[in-house]
Amino acid sequence: MSLLIGSSRNGWLAVVLACSLLLGYTTLFAGRAGASADDAFLHPGMLYTQEDLQLMKDKVEKRQSPWLPEWRLMQSNKLAQPTYTNTFYETVYRNDAVNGNKGNSDLQNSSSAALILAVEWSVTGDPVYAKAALRILNGWAGSLKSIQGHDAQLAASLYGYKLLNAAEIMRYSNSGWKKEEMSQFTSMMMNVFYPLTKTYGYVNGGWANGNWDARMFCLICVWAFGARIRPSIMMRSITSSMAMAMVPSFTMSRTKRDSCRKAGAIRLIPSWGSDF
């Protein structure tokens, strides 16, 4: 469904969808104000459900097209290799006046690698992919203390949601991820990523354009991963993002990409099961 304002019909659909989300989340959080997502959320269920991952596995094992050619294309990427390496930093900068983009490419590329490797682990069952994905997740969890720069919020969102989705796959499979390592990863998300994403669109002294909707998606993923976040923040994050979809000044920039991000957030709804 398009959320753009190119026509009155699309604008009306955006209004209806935003209202539906508001009502749905109001009901959800009213009854579960003190609960974490693990009480009801169906894991895995962020970008990929268990059914999604099983479908990938089945199609690849049966060598069916177009799935197999696409799988091979993904595996040809350098980020899909279990030998992929990166450098971990205590502080990562994106568009910083003094430090430029120090560490940014490592966090950006390794977050993508972690997610690809997690999917490869799920589809193939080969522990070499699990080990490679966990190396990245644990490496950042043990190193990263802050993300800084003019685009720190954007970095936290674009890279954080990939790390979270990789972590969800690893957490809810027999990957060998230790409990203390999961705890350290969750602490990193709550102490580094969450503070940068909880403002749901208000950054650097003003409201950002639709490019920042990824932060809303990241915020939902943080909560879905099991960390306890105030329901009021969750609801405001979703509804404010949907409201921005109805304002022409926000939808004129990068509209196709941002609609995909909103769709990504809406994609999470079925994973809440009957509570939603």
Side-chain angles (χ1 to χ4, degrees):
M1 178 187 297
S2 174
L3 298 180
L4 311 184
I5 310 299
S7 68
S8 59
R9 176 179 178 274
N10 286 334
W12 175 247
L13 288 174
V15 173
V16 172
L17 184 53
C19 291
S20 297
L21 284 172
L22 175 60
L23 291 173
Y25 276 90
T26 301
T27 302
L28 170 62
F29 290 133
R32 307 189 62 81
S36 74
D38 278 350
D39 296 330
F41 197 90
L42 305 178
H43 292 285
M46 295 187 198
L47 278 180
Y48 309 110
T49 65
Q50 186 58 49
E51 289 75 15
D52 294 331
L53 295 169
Q54 187 60 48
L55 176 65
M56 296 181 205
K57 181 179 179 66
D58 292 343
K59 297 300 184 181
V60 170
E61 288 182 346
K62 295 177 181 177
R63 307 176 66 83
Q64 293 183 352
S65 183
W67 296 274
L68 184 61
E70 294 298 324
W71 171 257
R72 289 173 173 168
L73 179 63
M74 184 191 75
Q75 287 205 302
S76 68
N77 192 292
K78 66 178 182 179
L79 299 180
Q81 309 310 311
T83 54
Y84 169 82
T85 59
N86 66 281
T87 301
F88 300 104
Y89 294 83
E90 185 172 300
T91 302
V92 168
Y93 300 90
R94 175 159 173 157
N95 193 15
D96 184 76
V98 176
N99 295 284
N101 293 302
K102 182 179 179 181
N104 181 69
S105 61
D106 281 274
L107 182 56
Q108 180 178 17
N109 292 330
S110 64
S111 64
S112 296
L115 180 53
I116 294 172
L117 290 164
V119 171
E120 289 179 298
W121 149 246
S122 180
V123 171
T124 68
D126 189 337
V128 69
Y129 294 114
K131 183 177 180 180
L134 291 176
R135 182 196 67 81
I136 296 172
L137 298 178
N138 291 334
W140 285 115
S143 304
L144 190 62
K145 303 300 181 185
S146 69
I147 300 174
Q148 299 181 21
H150 185 76
D151 290 339
Q153 290 93 341
L154 182 59
S157 303
L158 294 176
Y159 317 151
Y161 95 87
K162 294 178 184 178
L163 291 173
L164 279 162
N165 278 281
E168 186 193 34
I169 293 174
M170 305 310 292
R171 183 184 188 185
Y172 293 96
S173 63
N174 297 316
S175 66
W177 202 9
K178 299 177 182 178
K179 184 176 181 180
E180 58 269 26
E181 294 171 340
M182 294 184 200
S183 178
Q184 186 178 44
F185 178 85
T186 302
S187 294
M188 175 190 68
M189 280 294 153
M190 292 303 299
N191 295 326
V192 179
F193 288 85
Y194 171 59
L196 289 169
T197 62
K198 67 180 180 179
T199 56
Y200 53 90
Y202 192 81
V203 294
N204 299 324
W207 287 97
N209 63 29
N211 190 42
W212 301 88
D213 281 327
R215 296 187 306 108
M216 177 267 289
F217 187 51
C218 181
L219 177 58
I220 296 175
C221 288
V222 172
W223 187 75
F225 190 73
R228 293 179 182 271
I229 296 176
R230 286 192 293 122
S232 58
I233 293 179
M234 282 296 302
M235 188 170 69
R236 289 200 306 269
S237 172
I238 294 166
T239 55
S240 63
S241 177
M242 297 307 298
M244 281 195 287
M246 297 179 281
V247 180
S249 61
F250 288 112
T251 58
M252 289 300 291
S253 176
R254 303 178 179 94
T255 50
K256 290 184 179 180
R257 181 182 64 184
D258 298 324
S259 293
C260 292
R261 287 176 181 157
K262 294 177 181 69
I266 296 167
R267 168 69 173 78
L268 292 170
I269 291 173
S271 295
W272 262 285
S274 59
D275 272 0
F276 190 87

